[in-house]
Amino acid sequence: MTTAGPGSVPPVAAAQPSLPREVYVLSVVGGCVMLGLGLVLPVLPVYAAAFGAGPTQVGALVALFALMRLAASPFCGRLGVRFGERRVLVAGLLLCAVSSALAAFAGSYEQLLVFRGIGGVGSVLFSVSALATLLAIAPADQRGRAGAVFEAGFLLGGICGPALGGLLALVALSAPFVVYAVLLLAAALLTLAVLRTGRTTGAEPGRDVVRLPVLLRDRRYVVACLAVLAQGWVLFGLRGALVPTVVVAWRHDVTWVGWAFTISAVVQALLIMPAGRVVDRAGRRPAMIAGTGVAAAAITALMFVDGYAWLVVLLSVYAAGSALLSAAPAALIGDVVAGRAGSGVAFFSMCIDVGAVVGPVVVGLVAERVSVPAAFGSGAALLVVAFVASWTLTTVRPTRRS
């Protein structure tokens, strides 16, 4: 691997200018997507059960979405090169909208399974293209802030979605799917209206292509991918799959799980914008070290916790580290890819999907066959690897622009 050279951390102005308008639009679009997804996810198991699906079939329905994202990821870079990220982004939104509308009127579990699979393909087309567009639009010295604004939209949508989904389900179980489809259509129209061809420099077809083998020789790229792999493992394997089981085992009902997740999500939402400024002003390396270090310490401490209050505290501490890891790895990727097309952003996205697909399975097996603390230890170990790797990044002191 090659070490980062001078310029791996861009110069920073004393008073940074406003971000491009398109960054905020992408954040709104991402918020619509996450809000809609939040509407659907709490209702999905109940909706599937209405078709006679058992726990295993419900699990397959949830896993298929992530698997289809993972399977379609390798093609996103090629599609972006050929058609431009803006068009692929809109296509992903429309595909998700169609799949959600069809799911609302599904007549069987098998149909619901197919429609959710289609939604997974649309989801990865959107997410990879949106991130590639964001990194192409954002100036080098504002990529941390831009990533934070983008992530803030997802966080706010994710916080509000589940509660609204529960209310809509009181009207009809299919209602959240219909509203999700409408939100996605609105997001697609907003994208078409604002992200016009030529406005998103570097996000249209015909630009230089950077190949994955070249990227994998750059230490910054590898460290960023390691960090998001660990993030996917912890968020979906430990937090999403193991923490609810632990809380219920402590004789609390599932509402206590919801409160723990909500509190930690609010902490991350409050810290995400300051984290973006840290990434740009202090540099990528300090932000990566702090983010992976705090996250690793929190997950390691969870191995020794046996009470709900400490669980919430440590999940909130993890959220603080996660705020930095929501902005810093993407900024590193932007520094490496620098607006060029190819599979760089797609592979980066695949890393978190691999963590999301493999993590819950491995964590469950370790918890059953070894112990729950050992399962938490698997996530802590990945974060420690990312922490050590972050130390190998070259330090470049930010300088002021004249």
Side-chain angles (χ1 to χ4, degrees):
M1 288 185 235
T2 60
T3 58
S8 62
V9 178
V12 180
Q16 293 183 327
S18 299
L19 290 168
R21 178 185 62 170
E22 290 85 355
V23 171
Y24 296 100
V25 172
L26 285 169
S27 179
V28 171
V29 170
C32 288
V33 171
M34 198 62 195
L35 175 62
L37 192 61
L39 294 176
V40 167
L41 284 180
V43 181
L44 189 61
V46 182
Y47 191 55
F51 296 111
T56 301
Q57 289 172 305
V58 171
L61 189 64
V62 174
L64 180 65
F65 188 87
L67 285 171
M68 292 304 292
R69 278 184 53 91
L70 190 58
S73 288
F75 304 100
C76 293
R78 300 175 198 172
L79 291 172
V81 170
R82 183 167 183 178
F83 300 107
E85 271 89 7
R86 172 179 170 271
R87 292 173 184 155
V88 178
L89 193 161
V90 172
L93 290 172
L94 293 177
L95 197 59
C96 284
V98 170
S99 73
S100 186
L102 290 173
F105 300 100
S108 66
Y109 169 79
E110 289 73 21
Q111 289 182 8
L112 185 61
L113 195 67
V114 171
F115 299 150
R116 285 292 292 170
I118 293 172
V121 175
S123 172
V124 75
L125 289 177
F126 158 74
S127 61
V128 171
S129 300
L131 181 57
T133 302
L134 179 85
L135 296 178
I137 290 170
D141 61 335
Q142 295 180 326
R143 286 193 183 117
R145 289 172 60 206
V149 169
F150 185 56
E151 185 67 22
F154 282 90
L155 283 171
L156 292 175
I159 291 170
C160 299
L164 294 175
L167 293 175
L168 286 170
L170 297 177
V171 178
L173 286 177
S174 60
F177 294 91
V178 175
V179 174
Y180 186 19
V182 172
L183 284 170
L184 290 166
L185 286 173
L189 290 174
L190 180 62
T191 301
L192 287 170
V194 178
L195 300 182
R196 300 183 185 279
T197 303
R199 294 294 303 279
T200 55
T201 303
E204 295 301 325
R207 66 197 189 279
D208 293 337
V209 175
V210 58
R211 303 294 180 185
L212 186 60
V214 175
L215 294 174
L216 291 175
R217 291 196 293 270
D218 192 307
R219 184 170 297 172
R220 296 168 297 172
Y221 187 83
V222 175
V223 172
C225 289
L226 279 173
V228 295
L229 173 64
Q231 276 282 82
W233 189 283
V234 171
L235 288 174
F236 296 97
L238 296 181
R239 200 191 76 145
L242 188 59
V243 168
T245 304
V246 170
V247 172
V248 171
W250 289 339
R251 298 184 180 179
H252 298 301
D253 60 47
V254 292
T255 58
W256 291 62
V257 178
W259 278 112
F261 286 177
T262 300
I263 292 169
S264 62
V266 169
V267 169
Q268 186 173 349
L270 291 173
L271 294 177
I272 188 67
M273 296 305 297
R277 290 192 289 271
V278 168
V279 172
D280 287 333
R281 293 176 180 175
R284 318 305 194 218
R285 181 177 183 266
M288 288 290 296
I289 291 173
T292 54
V294 170
I299 298 302
T300 301
L302 280 174
M303 298 172 61
F304 308 100
V305 164
D306 59 359
Y308 179 80
W310 277 111
L311 176 79
V312 173
V313 169
L314 290 173
L315 285 178
S316 298
V317 172
Y318 172 78
S322 188
L324 285 166
L325 294 179
S326 296
L332 276 176
I333 295 298
D335 295 342
V336 175
V337 176
R340 295 172 292 175
S343 55
V345 176
F347 184 82
F348 176 72
S349 177
M350 283 180 67
C351 288
I352 194 166
D353 284 334
V354 168
V357 172
V358 179
V361 177
V362 175
V363 164
L365 287 173
V366 173
E368 287 180 4
R369 300 185 180 183
V370 185
S371 66
V372 169
F376 280 115
S378 68
L382 284 174
L383 286 167
V384 168
V385 170
F387 173 73
V388 173
S390 297
W391 277 95
T392 68
L393 293 170
T394 300
T395 299
V396 179
R397 292 184 64 84
T399 57
R400 297 181 186 275
R401 291 184 297 186
S402 56

